[in-house]
Amino acid sequence: MQDLTQYPSITPELIDRGHARRMGHLENYFALSSRQKLYTNFSMYCELNEACSKDQLVYAIRSICLKYPTLIHTVVPKNLPNSEEFYSSQEYLSKPWPVHDFIKVIDHLEIDDILMNNQPEYASLVAQLEDLFVHNGFKYSKEMAEILSPVAIPYCHQGRPNWRLICLPEEDRSTEKWRRFIFVSNHCSSDGSSAINFFKELVNELDDEPEKISNSTTVFDYAADHLQLNKLPKPIEERIDFKPPLSYIPRYLINSFISSSFGYRSPGGHTTAVDEIRDS
């Protein structure tokens, strides 16, 4: 029986259904990197052949999320809502914590929880991106990636997932459809391949959408949808055998000796948090 004292939102029922579990080592690493402000985000641009409406986007993303619940998960830290204070306290910093925190699927998700265009905290950034995109002749550029680079998607927001979508404007500014998107994620449980797969799935769902779709803005509601939801996948280290063959050990020892004795060592200082770099 797991001790859930520090995680009131995690229930045995969620765990039994496969909709909550402990983080894997790699997931925990990126959560730590986000918490220590050593990492911000990765992003990927995609352009579809045909534009889609908001209703179509809700339908497609909902279908994808039911198949791949990683897209609707969040990290559940210890001692919510006072987790930030806890992780900077002596209680936490004075000893190792070998048992990782949890991830769980979000209780309720609206399309505006995903679209950065409709989130006030990103209004200025999205406006910059849109203006630059139009100025570039509706082409994505490295300058847009640079504008996005400081954005840190919260890794433990209890009502929003670890990724966002930005809808870029069309040449016809009066239309309420989009075909150019930017996927932005904090990397806790996704990477570049995940972004590619998301856009592939998005295209497939848009191609196969029924004639009539709902005009609901709800992407997911756990109480109503949990029976349709797949289980969270196991951590990657439980699905891939990382144990090297015995023949690798001599090569590892020799390489370690060469690296430690003759390898390059940076004369730089300690690793600096992202926000300290921006403020300097």
Side-chain angles (χ1 to χ4, degrees), residues 54-69:
K54 192 173 185 177
D55 289 347
Q56 290 175 300
L57 204 56
V58 172
Y59 166 80
I61 292 177
R62 171 179 165 78
S63 300
I64 298 169
C65 289
L66 290 174
K67 287 192 290 185
Y68 305 107

Side-chain angles (χ1 to χ4, degrees), residues 11-71:
T11 65
E13 186 178 42
L14 276 176
I15 296 172
D16 291 343
R17 289 174 176 173
H19 298 155
R21 62 165 173 78
R22 296 278 185 181
M23 284 192 292
H25 301 315
L26 191 60
E27 294 164 339
N28 186 62
Y29 167 79
F30 280 109
L32 287 170
S33 296
S34 295
R35 184 185 304 150
Q36 299 299 326
K37 300 179 181 178
L38 302 178
Y39 186 86
T40 54
N41 74 78
F42 77 89
S43 61
M44 181 171 291
Y45 170 78
C46 177
E47 183 172 332
L48 308 182
N49 290 331
E50 296 182 12
C52 64
S53 67
K54 192 173 185 177
D55 289 347
Q56 290 175 300
L57 204 56
V58 172
Y59 166 80
I61 292 177
R62 171 179 165 78
S63 300
I64 298 169
C65 289
L66 290 174
K67 287 192 290 185
Y68 305 107
T70 301
L71 287 168

